[in-house]
Amino acid sequence: MTGRVGRAAPLLVGAGGAMIVALDGTVLLMAQPELRRAFGASAAQLQWTSTGYLVAVAALLVLAGRLGDRYGHLRLLHLGLTGFGLASAGIALAPSVGWVIGLRVAQGVCGALLQPATLAVLRLAYPERELRRAIAVRTGAIAVAAGSGPVLGGLLVAHFGWQSVFWINLPLVLAVVLPATALRLPERERPVARRLGLTGAVLLAGCLAVLVHALSQVPVRGWGAPATLRELAGAVGLAAVFVVSERRSAHPFVPPALARSVPVTAAMALLLVVSAGLFGSVFTATFHLQDTLGLDPLTTGLRVLPLTVLMVIGSPLAGAALGRFGPRPTALTGTLLVVLGTAGLGAAAPDGAGSPPGWPSP
């Protein structure tokens, strides 16, 4: 490809691939009540249709980046896109919620392959003076995709059923695969081969999976239940083994500079807690709006729209606040706003109305 179209193709591939991953993280929200009715799924199973995807993406991002360095990011991009499309079709045809969960995890693996590859495509395609603009476009595309997910999901579910939120991935994947196939990126010297860190990736994924499963069962079993305590202890044990393995490894999974950085560790912990509260609130609110108030999926998506719009608007505002007030006041203010909003949502729902099946009323 030559000329202006050729210059725009890497941006289309980089931004488009990242958008697919971001969209799939939120578009399912409006479909979950109907998916629950279709399969008679429990609350824990429904949670895993989202958290299985997110855990896979989070646990494998670093590994995916190293695979791209070793085997080529464009190759990983094609593999991720193809796998993502096939997993989406499989979920739409799934005969049970167990298949949905398993294929969502597979989607998450493919999403992890995609994310670093889409960024690497931009780094390989554009010189430094154009790279910042390309990355800014990619970041904005991710925000728009994540923000529009609930409305798009509501529209699709209202007219075509829950399967449509996965069928929609096929034309989106095709729209990115076609220009990606024609891309010719300059070769750069690859870093010295190093271990992929498979042990660290497996331990991290296992720790997250056990922890999420334990927390998802707390509303049913309670904090003091033997099964809950065993799983929490298992998560702590896996975390301890992960830390010991990282310290002894000549090629740790997490770069030592990051692992020893207190600001980075604190920021990641804060991001984890805030994200869990935010997505948990939207998850519960979706059932309250549809099952208790009787709203259809599209109306529910529109009711959630202020949240997603403000998230998109808040991104540049947060950047400005970061430059003026520094990271700590900005992060604490954002966390406080999330806490107040979550508390307000909890106060608005009477007696736990609209909780998914298997969740006791408070």
Side-chain angles (χ1 to χ4, degrees):
M1 289 184 293
T2 58
R4 185 174 298 179
V5 175
R7 295 297 296 164
L11 182 58
L12 174 61
V13 172
M19 285 183 72
I20 291 173
V21 179
L23 178 66
D24 219 64
T26 58
V27 72
L28 179 60
L29 287 170
M30 298 303 109
Q32 284 177 320
E34 186 172 315
L35 190 152
R36 185 256 297 176
R37 290 189 288 268
F39 292 120
S42 67
Q45 289 173 323
L46 284 174
Q47 286 176 308
W48 272 104
T49 61
S50 291
T51 54
Y53 174 84
L54 296 173
V55 166
V57 172
L60 298 177
L61 271 177
V62 174
L63 178 62
R66 292 182 181 175
L67 286 171
D69 290 337
R70 178 174 294 189
Y71 300 108
H73 291 285
L74 199 54
R75 184 176 298 173
L76 266 290
L77 179 74
H78 284 100
L79 179 62
L81 285 169
T82 303
F84 202 95
L86 292 175
S88 298
I91 295 170
L93 299 171
S96 68
V97 70
W99 277 96
V100 173
I101 295 171
L103 288 169
R104 281 288 283 172
V105 173
Q107 259 193 332
V109 173
C110 296
L113 296 177
L114 271 175
Q115 284 289 44
T118 59
L119 189 57
V121 164
L122 300 182
R123 293 186 180 279
L124 290 171
Y126 297 111
E128 190 66 33
R129 64 180 182 276
E130 299 179 28
L131 182 59
R132 286 189 178 183
R133 184 180 301 174
I135 292 177
V137 171
R138 177 182 178 273
T139 303
I142 292 174
V144 170
S148 61
V151 177
L152 178 60
L155 180 65
L156 291 171
V157 174
H159 293 285
F160 306 106
W162 69 266
Q163 296 93 336
S164 59
V165 303
F166 296 103
W167 285 125
I168 192 65
N169 285 331
L170 299 187
L172 295 178
V173 166
L174 186 62
V176 179
V177 165
L178 291 178
T181 303
L183 277 183
R184 297 294 181 267
L185 298 176
E187 290 289 337
R188 292 188 182 178
E189 184 178 350
R190 294 181 181 178
V192 177
R194 54 179 297 185
R195 290 184 180 180
L196 294 175
L198 290 176
T199 301
V202 170
L203 288 172
L204 179 59
C207 176
L208 291 175
V210 173
L211 178 61
V212 170
H213 187 268
L215 295 177
S216 70
Q217 294 294 325
V218 166
V220 178
R221 299 189 301 206
W223 285 102
T228 300
L229 295 177
R230 283 196 300 269
E231 290 181 0
L232 291 175
V236 172
L238 286 171
V241 173
F242 174 75
V243 171
V244 172
S245 175
E246 288 290 284
R247 288 182 174 178
R248 293 182 177 179
S249 175
H251 303 282
F253 182 67
V254 179
L258 292 180
R260 295 169 185 162
S261 172
V262 174
V264 170
T265 304
M268 293 303 296
L270 190 61
L271 179 62
L272 176 64
V273 173
V274 170
S275 298
L278 182 61
F279 281 98
S281 298
V282 177
F283 178 82
T284 306
T286 300
F287 283 91
H288 178 67
L289 291 171
Q290 291 194 36
D291 289 354
T292 302
L293 301 183
L295 302 181
D296 61 71
L298 177 56
T299 307
T300 300
L302 292 173
R303 293 292 180 92
V304 179
L305 186 59
L307 170 66
T308 55
V309 168
L310 288 173
M311 287 177 64
V312 174
I313 296 175
S315 181
L317 293 179
L322 186 65
R324 182 169 182 179
F325 303 109
R328 184 174 298 178
T330 303
L332 292 178
T333 301
T335 303
L336 178 61
L337 291 174
V338 171
V339 170
L340 292 175
T342 303
L345 285 173
D351 300 325
S355 296
W359 283 17
S361 299

